[in-house]
């Protein structure tokens, strides 16, 4: 524990110190990812207490999760400010509501419901609407959104349209359920968590005498994650403050990813408009991530649009250099999952054995939707890598998957006597026909939410059936059920420490040494149902959150096809344009460092359908597209050049300490040996030769193609410095 107020300031950087020592008036802290925002605001509170400016009992610090509040409480205790109140918005409001209710209203306050879905189900039944469990969850989420954005049942349909929000079902139906739910609560003397805030705001607004008591108790306020404040939480904060301005808020508009719950960065972005005298401090020194990861994160936001983008923070890494982020393209999803699992195995290998020696708990695989987890659960299990799911049930534990398993087992036992199964096309068709009884449809439901998540999970089963049937043409429904049971058993082994599998939303606030961002294709990120520019920009911020979870190693990957042998019709996420080597934004965007952007003709790759240069057939497989010929068509490869390229690649890989494929893949070498480029323009048009590799290896490759000696190369250190 520091022995004085000045000792509290030791170890803070200049901007953090500015936060800690600015104790009067409104303060707005714009804090980028990994910049030590919690450190700055806890030291501010502790410094104010130790300096005698704040009395501990008069300070209220609020955040959004009990975990974050507990962490802040522990830090303050270590700094000698143990009497400060650190709570979530809901816990602080509930405490006040329970205390003041007898005086403000009389009697006991309404009973707090731990869960509202049961009452929502009853309200739906009273409106003659039957909802399945996941439909019920979606309607419940809509009611929660309406309440935190202060929308009444009668105004809900119009508010929905104004917000550009995708409705999981008919807005008029949801409004009727919402109104009935509110009436049932009143009849039974119950309240939900949103009511805790609403009722507290109502009492403070209607009873000035009670508001003065609260304001007499708390004089100084700190709000963490201010970009996630809802309109209702902002109203409560204003009631607590009254006409005072002893408020410190901290947040980052570029990390606003919860707008579907009612969160909005507007309160953060408008803070100085509401408080013209506010002190603004920007924290941009990133202590979490390497310069290479930070450079990529900055490049991602440099392409953003909208209000949040106008206030983006340019982070500056305070760590030593690390490996460049890797961009990896795969032929299909199983290949992507298998390669990811194998890379993780390599990271787990001890340093003494030539690996990175990273603990499993310091590695994460992050994806857009929970339905993506199954293939990574399987790949890690097959590779013998322990893992743990965060924020979601294991794939085979999910209710919809258990229900599907029961239906499939029943159909298998019946021997496929159902006429629909007889008419189905192949194993996948049979599985789809069985799942139709559980609500599965080939077309996705509109909008997002639990119903869409359920559909994605069931679609994963249909995809699995397609792959299983392709691998085993004689497969039956019974053998597929056996496969599912074996997979479930293999993935249910208990793990104490393992690689984290999590959605990008769940990963907020966490960090790892190595992060794998997977499935980065258009349609998944941004996700298909992100329609408006605002929704697309939130998807970009979601990727930004994923990138900034990595301390040291970052791998971004995508697959061109869903399954082996499938049509390679996917494209990498548009958010990677201008960031991954060889790509460009709008045709020409300059760049430097670890972020590669194409420029002019050197970045041009074949657009639209690619024809075989021998037989003129349209090519679909990734390898064929790269070679620009069918696999069965004769090759014009210069065998001697190919061998020279392989020998050169091996030597360069050994010099760089990288695997050979990291220089060029075999397919790229074949493409070079077949086309024998005569200049940079021709070489750059070969798939796999991006701008970065063109600069690093282009002179050598062109010399080999021309049969000339390799050019004199600068020392490796100077070469790497030039690249950076």
């Amino acid at each position: 524990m520091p022995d004085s107020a000045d000792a509290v300031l030791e170890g803070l950087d200049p901007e953090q110190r500015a936060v800690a020592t600015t104790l009067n008036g409104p303060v707005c802290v714009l804090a980028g990812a990994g910049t030590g925002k919690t450190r700055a605001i806890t030291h501010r509170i502790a410094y104010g207490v130790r300096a005698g400016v704040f009395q501990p009992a008069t300070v209220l610090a609020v955040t959004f999760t009990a975990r974050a509040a507990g962490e802040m409480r522990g830090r303050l205790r270590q700094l000698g400010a143990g009497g400060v109140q650190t709570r979530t918005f809901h816990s602080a409001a509930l405490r006040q509501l329970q205390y003041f209710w007898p005086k403000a209203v009389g009697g006991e306050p309404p009973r707090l419901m731990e869960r509202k879905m049961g009452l929502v189900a009853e309200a739906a039944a009273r409106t003659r609407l039957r909802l399945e469990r996941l439909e019920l969850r979606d309607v419940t989420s809509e009611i929660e959104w309406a309440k935190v954005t202060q929308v009444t049942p009668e105004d809900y349909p119009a508010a929905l349209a104004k917000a550009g929000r995708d409705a999981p079902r008919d807005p008029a139906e949801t409004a009727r359920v919402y109104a009935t739910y509110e009436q049932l609560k009143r009849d039974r003397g119950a309240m939900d968590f949103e009511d805790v805030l609403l009722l507290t705001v109502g009492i403070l607004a209607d009873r000035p005498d009670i508001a003065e008591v609260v304001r007499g108790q708390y004089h100084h306020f700190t709000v963490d994650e201010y970009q996630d404040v809802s309109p209702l939480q902002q109203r409560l904060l204003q009631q607590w403050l009254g006409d005072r301005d002893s408020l410190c808020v901290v947040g980052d508009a570029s990390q606003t990813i919860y707008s579907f719950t009612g969160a909005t960065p507007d309160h953060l972005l408008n803070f100085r408009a509401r408080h013209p005298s506010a002190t603004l401090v920007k924290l941009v020194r990133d202590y979490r991530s390497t310069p290479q990861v930070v450079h990529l994160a900055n490049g991602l936001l440099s392409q953003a649009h909208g209000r949040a983008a106008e206030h983006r923070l340019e982070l500056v890494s305070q760590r030593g250099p690390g490996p460049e982020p890797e961009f990896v393209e795969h032929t299909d999803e199983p290949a992507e999952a298998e390669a990811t699992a194998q890379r993780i195995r390599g990271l787990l290998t001890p340093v003494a054995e030539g690996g990175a020696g990273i603990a499993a708990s310091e590695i994460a695989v992050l994806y857009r939707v929970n339905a993506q987890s199954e293939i990574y659960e399987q790949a890690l299990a097959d590779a013998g890598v322990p893992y743990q799911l965060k924020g979601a049930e294991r794939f085979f534990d999910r209710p919809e998957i258990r229900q599907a398993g029961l239906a499939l087992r029943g159909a298998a036992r019946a021997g496929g006597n159902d006429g629909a199964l007889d008419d189905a096309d192949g194993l996948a068709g049979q599985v789809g026909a069985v799942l139709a009884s559980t609500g599965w449809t080939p077309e996705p439901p509109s909008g997002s939410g639990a119903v869409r998540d359920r559909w994605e999970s069931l679609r994963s089963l249909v995809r699995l059936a397609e792959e299983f049937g392709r691998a085993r043409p004689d497969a039956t429904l019974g053998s597929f059920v056996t496969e599912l049971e074996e997979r479930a058993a293999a993935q249910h082994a208990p793990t104490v420490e393992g690689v984290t599998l999590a959605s990008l939303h769940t990963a907020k606030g966490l960090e790892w040494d190595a992060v794998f961002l997977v499935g980065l294709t258009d349609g998944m990120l941004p996700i298909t149902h992100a329609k408006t520019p605002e929704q697309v920009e939130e998807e970009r911020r979601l990727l930004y959150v994923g990138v900034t979870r990595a301390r040291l190693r970052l791998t971004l990957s995508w697959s061109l096809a869903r399954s082996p042998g499938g049509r390679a019709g996917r494209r990498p996420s548009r958010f990677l344009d201008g960031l991954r080597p060889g790509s460009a934004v709008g045709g020409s965007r300059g760049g430097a460092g670890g972020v590669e952007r194409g420029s002019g003709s050197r970045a041009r790759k074949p657009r639209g359908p690619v024809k075989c240069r021998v037989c003129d057939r349209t090519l679909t497989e990734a390898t064929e597209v790269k070679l620009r010929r069918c696999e069965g068509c004769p090759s014009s490869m210069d065998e001697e050049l190919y061998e020279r390229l392989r020998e050169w690649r091996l030597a360069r890989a050994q010099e760089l300490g990288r695997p050979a494929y990291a220089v060029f893949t075999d397919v790229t070498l074949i493409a070079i040996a077949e086309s024998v480029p005569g200049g940079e323009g021709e070489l750059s048009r070969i798939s796999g030769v991006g701008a970065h590799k063109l600069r690093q290896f282009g002179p050598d490759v062109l010399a080999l193609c021309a049969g000339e000696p390799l050019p004199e190369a600068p020392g490796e250190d100077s070469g790497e410095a030039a690249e950076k």
Side-chain angles (χ1 to χ4, degrees):
M1 184 181 298
D3 57 11
S4 66
D6 288 341
V8 172
L9 303 177
E10 292 178 2
L12 300 181
D13 67 32
E15 293 78 24
Q16 292 171 343
R17 181 180 286 257
V19 173
T21 55
T22 306
L23 302 178
N24 298 317
V27 179
C28 180
V29 183
L30 300 181
T35 58
K37 67 179 179 64
T38 305
R39 177 179 175 84
I41 59 177
T42 51
H43 280 69
R44 177 182 185 270
I45 294 170
Y47 180 71
V49 169
R50 300 293 292 275
V53 178
F54 299 161
Q55 295 302 311
T58 67
V59 179
L60 177 59
V62 290
T63 187
F64 283 81
T65 66
R67 180 183 63 83
E71 179 187 351
M72 190 179 294
R73 192 179 303 119
R75 291 198 192 191
L76 288 170
R77 192 180 301 115
Q78 292 174 353
L79 293 171
V84 171
Q85 292 292 308
T86 55
R87 297 182 175 275
T88 65
F89 271 102
H90 283 88
S91 66
L94 180 60
R95 194 174 186 218
Q96 294 171 17
L97 186 64
Q98 291 173 333
Y99 183 81
F100 291 110
W101 185 273
K103 180 178 180 181
V105 181
E108 292 295 317
R111 171 182 56 85
L112 179 62
M113 301 186 304
E114 291 295 327
R115 294 172 58 83
K116 58 170 68 73
M117 284 181 62
L119 201 59
V120 174
E122 184 176 343
R126 293 202 176 196
T127 60
R128 303 182 185 280
L129 189 63
R130 182 177 179 181
L131 301 177
E132 294 184 4
R133 186 184 62 85
L134 291 175
E135 293 175 316
L136 187 61
R137 191 193 306 173
D138 281 342
V139 171
T140 302
S141 296
E142 287 302 296
I143 291 173
E144 290 172 349
W145 173 81
K147 295 184 75 167
V148 299
T149 53
Q150 303 169 93
V151 172
T152 62
E154 54 270 23
D155 292 337
Y156 168 76
L160 196 74
K162 183 177 180 181
R165 185 179 176 87
D166 282 324
R169 62 182 309 107
D170 180 70
E173 289 181 345
T174 301
R176 288 197 298 273
V177 175
Y178 178 14
T180 306
Y181 166 76
E182 291 296 305
Q183 185 60 52
L184 286 174
K185 277 199 293 94
R186 287 191 292 270
D187 293 344
R188 297 176 187 183
M191 64 178 175
D192 57 29
F193 280 98
E194 291 72 42
D195 291 330
V196 171
L197 302 183
L198 283 163
L199 293 171
T200 304
V201 167
I203 288 175
L204 296 178
D206 295 342
R207 292 291 300 270
D209 56 327
I210 293 177
E212 286 307 310
V213 173
V214 173
R215 294 166 190 162
Q217 170 69 47
Y218 296 116
H219 301 167
H220 312 285
F221 297 86
T222 299
V223 183
D224 192 13
E225 302 287 4
Y226 194 54
Q227 79 278 353
D228 290 332
V229 165
S230 71
L232 180 54
Q233 289 165 330
Q234 178 64 23
R235 276 192 68 192
L236 178 59
L237 180 60
Q238 286 301 126
Q239 289 296 333
W240 285 340
L241 276 168
D243 58 2
R244 298 167 302 173
D245 62 3
S246 186
L247 171 65
C248 175
V249 301
V250 58
D252 179 9
S254 296
Q255 296 188 68
T256 305
I257 58 173
Y258 298 113
S259 66
F260 59 90
T261 68
T264 171
D266 290 346
H267 306 300
L268 176 67
L269 299 179
N270 295 336
F271 189 82
R272 295 194 80 185
R274 295 196 312 273
H275 303 278
S277 63
T279 299
L280 177 67
V281 183
K282 295 182 179 181
L283 302 184
V284 297
R285 300 175 195 254
D286 188 322
Y287 297 94
R288 175 188 299 158
S289 304
T290 64
Q292 287 77 10
V293 173
V294 167
H295 196 55
L296 177 60
N298 286 337
L300 179 61
L301 287 189
S302 71
Q303 303 171 13
H305 307 283
R307 281 199 75 201
E310 295 170 5
H311 296 268
R312 71 181 182 89
L313 300 169
E314 189 84 11
L315 300 179
V316 181
S317 175
Q318 305 300 297
R319 294 190 55 167
E324 292 285 349
E326 293 186 89
F327 296 83
V328 188
E329 184 173 279
H330 299 279
T331 55
D332 51 68
E333 287 181 5
E336 183 179 5
E338 182 180 351
T340 300
Q342 292 303 321
R343 284 169 180 256
I344 290 173
R345 279 194 66 179
L347 294 180
L348 296 174
T349 304
V351 175
E353 300 176 22
I358 298 178
S361 60
E362 290 297 339
I363 302 174
V365 178
L366 306 181
Y367 35 76
R368 175 61 178 85
V369 297
N370 286 323
Q372 293 172 274
S373 77
E374 188 274 334
I375 196 169
Y376 291 93
E377 293 177 55
Q378 182 66 42
L380 291 172
D382 290 346
V385 176
Y387 66 89
Q388 55 185 340
L389 265 77
K390 187 169 187 65
E393 296 169 296
R394 291 177 184 269
F395 182 80
F396 288 102
D397 286 345
R398 294 171 192 168
E400 61 269 22
I401 298 302
R402 289 203 303 269
Q403 181 188 12
L406 288 172
L408 290 167
R409 279 194 291 274
R413 282 196 300 269
N417 294 326
D418 189 325
L421 299 188
D422 294 335
D423 295 338
D425 182 17
L427 176 62
Q430 292 184 38
V431 170
V434 173
L435 296 186
S437 66
T438 70
W440 156 259
T441 60
E443 294 301 318
S446 61
S448 57
V451 172
R452 177 66 181 239
D453 291 344
R454 177 181 188 275
W455 183 87
E456 294 283 0
S457 293
L458 294 176
R459 181 172 67 160
S460 295
L461 282 185
V462 177
R463 286 181 173 180
L464 188 59
E466 291 175 352
E467 294 159 14
F468 189 69
R470 192 177 294 114
R472 294 177 51 180
D474 60 342
T476 64
L477 206 54
S479 61
F480 179 65
V481 168
T482 301
E483 171 74 5
L484 292 181
E485 291 171 344
E486 290 175 354
R487 284 173 176 250
Q491 295 177 41
H492 284 169
T495 57
V496 177
E497 171 172 308
V499 172
T500 299
L501 295 177
S503 70
L504 288 165
H505 281 103
T506 307
K508 178 77 163 61
L510 303 175
E511 58 187 79
W512 296 270
D513 282 346
V515 170
F516 291 81
L517 301 176
V518 299
L520 301 181
T521 59
D522 259 359
M524 188 55 72
L525 197 73
I527 202 158
T528 306
H529 52 255
K531 299 287 198 302
T532 67
E534 293 78 12
Q535 290 168 342
V536 171
E537 284 306 307
E538 182 150 336
E539 294 285 299
R540 184 193 303 276
R541 295 195 294 270
L542 194 56
L543 179 57
Y544 174 77
V545 166
V547 167
T548 55
R549 299 311 95 194
R551 299 190 192 106
L552 179 63
R553 295 176 180 270
L554 177 64
T555 301
L556 305 96
S557 64
W558 60 93
S559 53
L560 298 174
R562 188 185 73 195
S563 55
R567 187 176 69 85
R570 292 174 169 177
R571 67 179 301 273
S573 169
R574 70 192 73 170
F575 300 144
L576 301 182
D577 290 350
L579 303 180
R580 57 188 175 89
S583 65
V585 177
S588 60
R589 283 283 294 270
V595 178
E596 297 297 332
R597 299 185 176 91
S599 176
S601 63
R602 288 169 48 166
R604 292 194 192 110
K605 302 292 180 186
R607 301 291 183 186
V610 178
K611 301 281 189 177
C612 173
R613 51 190 166 84
V614 180
C615 69
D616 205 41
R617 182 178 71 87
T618 299
L619 304 176
T620 57
E621 295 298 321
T623 300
E624 294 180 341
V625 169
K626 181 172 283 192
L627 294 176
R628 297 183 64 76
R629 65 172 173 81
C630 300
E631 186 176 356
C633 285
S635 169
S636 59
M637 183 174 69
D638 183 331
E639 297 283 351
E640 292 184 2
L641 173 58
Y642 178 67
E643 291 303 320
R644 290 199 304 271
L645 288 168
R646 290 190 63 188
E647 292 173 4
W648 164 83
R649 179 182 66 173
L650 179 61
R652 290 294 284 145
Q654 291 173 344
E655 290 172 12
L656 297 172
R658 300 175 184 171
Y661 69 78
V663 178
F664 286 122
T665 65
D666 284 345
V667 176
T668 300
L669 291 187
I670 292 172
I672 293 172
E674 288 189 346
S675 60
V676 192
E680 282 193 353
E682 293 177 14
L683 180 58
S684 70
R685 284 191 283 275
I686 294 175
S687 180
V689 183
H692 178 71
K693 289 188 177 182
L694 187 66
R695 289 198 303 271
Q696 190 173 17
F697 305 126
D700 283 9
V701 171
L702 291 172
L704 289 168
C705 289
E708 299 172 352
L710 294 178
E712 198 72 30
E716 191 60 36
D717 289 344
S718 63
E720 288 186 356
E723 286 298 326
K724 295 170 185 172

